[in-house]
Amino acid sequence: MKNPITPDLVYRIKTSGDPSISPNRSLLAYTLGWVDEESLTSCSKIMSFDLKQGYSRELTKGIKDSAAKFSPDGTRLAFLRSIDEGPLQVWVMSVDGSEVKQVTNFKKGVFDYVWSPIGLRLAVCVDVDPTAERDKPDMLPQVTVVSRLRYRYDTLGWRGDSHYHLFVVDIENSESYQITDGDWDDTAPVWSPDGSQIAFVSGRRDDRDFFALNEAYTVSATGGEPKLVSEGLYSIGAITWSPDGERLAVVGSEAPEGMVLWQGWLYVLEDGKEPRKLTDDSIKPYLGFPSVMRPATLHWVESGQVMFLGEKEGESFLCRVPADSGPIESVWGGSCLSTALALDDTLGLAVVVASTPNSPSDLYEIDLAIGGYRQLTDHNAEYLIDHPTAEMEKFSIQRPGFDIECRLFFPPGFDESLVYPLVLDIHGGPNGAFYDSFVPVQQVLASNGYLVLAVNPRGSSTYGTEFMMAVLEDWGGEDYQDLMAAVDHVSQRSYVASERLGVHGYSYGGYMTSWTVGHTHRFKAAVVGAPCVNLHSMYGTSDIGISFGEAQWGGSVISAADKMLERSPISYAAEVDTPVLLLHGEADARCPISQSEEYFTVLKRLGKDVEFVRFPGCSHLFPRTGHPKLREEYISRTLDWFNTYLG
């Protein structure tokens, strides 16, 4: 008997990540993550996969172990461990899982780390709070003093004077020394091949409070004055050294808007020369989500090529490009979203983490010589056999200036002779994108009888710079028309119940959902997740109101006030005729909960059908990383709202 995918998939789905290949190519270490349903705790452990024999075994028994990396000689594994919800620290063990010992003991833990080439030291990225050691009365309330704009960051919370900085740690005696300091963040350390220098990403520009820009630096592994090496680029997202240690390859951007996260390019950096671009708009190097996720990896291999995960039109690929210029070659990929890459030292194989529309997270081994691949893990097979996933159709519609790519998800057992309600799902960003991947809320809706339309309107990433930049200063303009054109196109199909349409979106998707119901009455139910509905107030309350908002909305709250209000969904609340469900985390610093409070108040005062659900202690990323119960409830309330109004 086949069962629908329900919101409790939060407790059923397992994730695989953080692949690391041993130098002799015999073993793969990776992180297996899951939710313990009894304790409602997110758990993870380190697994070892024998690449020759083809089986996995458990290496650690910690509750929260992750990010294992083999030492250069292959005899040891370092990994991150949290004990009793404490900060992550680096631990080291032998490759068989024995002789486990703790190496670091930083007050706020370790965010990222990397082995030195010889394997005797680690470079670690640590959150440093200069006020943490000051004596404070335990029982008395304390004020917090704000003297800079960037005093908090979503998911990280209050930052105050805290900043990420780099330390070098001796593996044997755990002694450490700090090699960077200052009123800024230094992240993403990478050792030079001879171990004498460390390259890193730094946000130490003078205008760092106003713009989300950063640069690449190098510093002696013993400390000293860092050297700027990325002059000419506005923003850097990832770094790797050339095999001879004379040059660097980076993912960077020349755009002053600081868009490297949404569209970057590969560059070669060399002393005394301008940055040399290796890639074009045909591919977007994958970067993940800096400051929350550990940085993406690049590999400059002995053959003179740079290998990286690239993205194009909502699909991921393993790519390589000659460092001395030449065409980009796709080695593997398509029809997936890949979020991690590991290469062996001899460049015979690669391992990637990938999600497909039919599976949330698996590891794949790729033969770099012949291009063949095999799936290594299938931890969700039993669940997915009993809970079939939605089938996906991709198509494009033509709009002035651009083709707009769409993904339509069909309920399992879809029957073209029947009629189904349809939900338009809108991604965040606006420079995010929907990929060929497993999205829980889409799978739950489709599995419970809904067609789900996922559109990548102008502004989405992975379609080139012109496409991505087209949304700047035009929120609610042509992007909205792209979405409505896609709904028009699909609604012509005989099996679409065009009188039973719903719309859901989160973040910018929440903005666009609230904008939509203020400009059309065709949708019979709307779920608005963590929206920004008032750009004027968002500017001064979001952690990125200035660094992000000025580029996206066309100026400051002084210079663009009228336009901000014109493009704010709250300005059209009187036109809303659709029942609205607002879902918002109370600790959201990105789109503060005051945005939903404003919208709820206005809609309620106008007598509209609206409900407001507050998720305690939850940041903007809680649907992905929050407490399992609240992640489940977000999906459950979304499904219930559509069931109530769409039937």
Side-chain angles (χ1 to χ4, degrees), residues 514 517 524-528 531 533 573 576-583 595-613 637 641 645:
S514 52
V517 297
K524 304 309 178 186
V527 178
V528 182
V533 299
V576 174
D577 191 42
T578 303
V580 172
L581 173 65
L582 290 160
L583 306 174
Q595 294 289 302
S596 282
E597 290 171 338
E598 290 184 46
Y599 201 49
F600 173 77
T601 299
V602 172
L603 291 177
K604 201 70 175 175
R605 180 65 181 86
L606 291 169
K608 308 297 183 179
D609 189 350
V610 59
E611 184 175 299
F612 181 21
V613 181
R637 288 183 176 273
W641 192 259
Y645 290 97

Side-chain angles (χ1 to χ4, degrees), residues 142-455:
Q142 301 294 314
V143 300
T144 52
V145 179
V146 175
S147 57
R148 61 176 57 85
L149 285 174
R150 297 173 67 178
Y151 63 90
R152 62 196 174 112
Y153 195 88
D154 188 70
T155 72
L156 302 179
W158 167 260
R159 300 295 290 147
D161 293 321
S162 293
H163 294 286
Y164 287 117
H165 286 297
L166 306 183
F167 290 71
V168 173
V169 180
D170 187 288
I171 289 292
E172 300 305 325
N173 58 28
S174 297
E175 292 183 357
S176 65
Y177 56 89
Q178 188 170 345
I179 61 171
T180 70
D181 195 12
D183 181 22
W184 49 71
D185 292 317
D186 298 322
T187 60
V190 183
W191 291 86
S192 63
D194 64 2
S196 65
Q197 298 182 79
I198 295 174
F200 63 97
V201 174
S202 181
R204 59 182 66 198
R205 293 166 50 103
D206 291 340
D207 54 6
R208 57 187 173 275
D209 242 17
F210 309 115
F211 302 102
L213 306 177
N214 46 52
E215 297 163 312
Y217 288 80
T218 59
V219 65
S220 168
T222 59
E225 184 64 27
K227 175 184 177 182
L228 172 65
V229 293
S230 62
E231 191 168 0
L233 300 179
Y234 280 97
S235 194
I236 302 296
I239 304 178
T240 189
W241 289 87
S242 62
D244 61 7
E246 296 296 322
R247 294 175 290 171
L248 292 166
V250 301
V251 179
S253 172
E254 302 172 52
E257 296 88 355
M259 294 290 181
V260 69
L261 176 61
W262 310 118
Q263 177 62 62
W265 297 264
L266 277 177
Y267 294 85
V268 170
L269 307 180
E270 189 171 359
D271 273 348
K273 297 183 179 180
E274 293 290 320
R276 180 166 51 84
K277 187 183 287 188
L278 295 181
T279 58
D280 55 25
D281 273 6
S282 66
I283 203 77
K284 168 189 174 294
Y286 169 78
L287 281 181
F289 204 91
S291 298
V292 177
M293 299 171 61
R294 287 180 289 276
T297 56
L298 305 175
H299 299 268
W300 191 327
V301 299
E302 291 287 349
S303 64
Q305 296 179 315
V306 179
M307 302 199 67
F308 63 100
L309 289 176
E311 301 175 335
K312 179 179 181 179
E313 298 178 358
E315 300 181 53
S316 292
F317 301 86
L318 175 58
C319 303
R320 57 188 170 202
V321 61
D324 292 328
S325 78
I328 304 167
E329 179 187 359
S330 174
V331 179
W332 170 90
S335 303
C336 70
L337 167 62
S338 186
T339 55
L341 165 67
L343 292 179
D344 79 314
D345 289 341
T346 64
L347 306 178
L349 62 87
V351 173
V352 299
V353 177
S355 166
T356 69
N358 304 116
S359 183
S361 179
D362 288 303
L363 293 168
Y364 295 83
E365 178 190 75
I366 303 159
D367 188 314
L368 296 176
I370 63 174
Y373 71 94
R374 61 169 173 157
Q375 184 174 334
L376 301 179
T377 61
D378 198 6
H379 292 292
N380 297 300
E382 184 176 347
Y383 177 81
L384 294 176
I385 288 173
D386 291 335
H387 302 79
T389 56
E391 293 299 316
M392 184 189 76
E393 173 197 343
K394 279 202 295 190
F395 62 91
S396 293
I397 61 171
Q398 289 186 332
R399 288 272 297 131
F402 300 107
D403 288 342
I404 306 300
E405 189 172 63
C406 310
R407 289 162 171 78
L408 183 62
F409 293 88
F410 295 85
F414 170 76
D415 185 342
E416 193 170 343
S417 67
L418 301 179
V419 179
Y420 298 83
L422 180 140
V423 173
L424 169 66
D425 195 19
I426 309 175
H427 67 63
N431 307 122
F434 285 128
Y435 293 77
D436 292 359
S437 65
F438 185 101
V439 179
V441 70
Q442 293 174 355
Q443 292 290 340
V444 169
L445 289 172
S447 187
N448 284 273
Y450 294 89
L451 295 163
V452 180
L453 177 61
V455 184

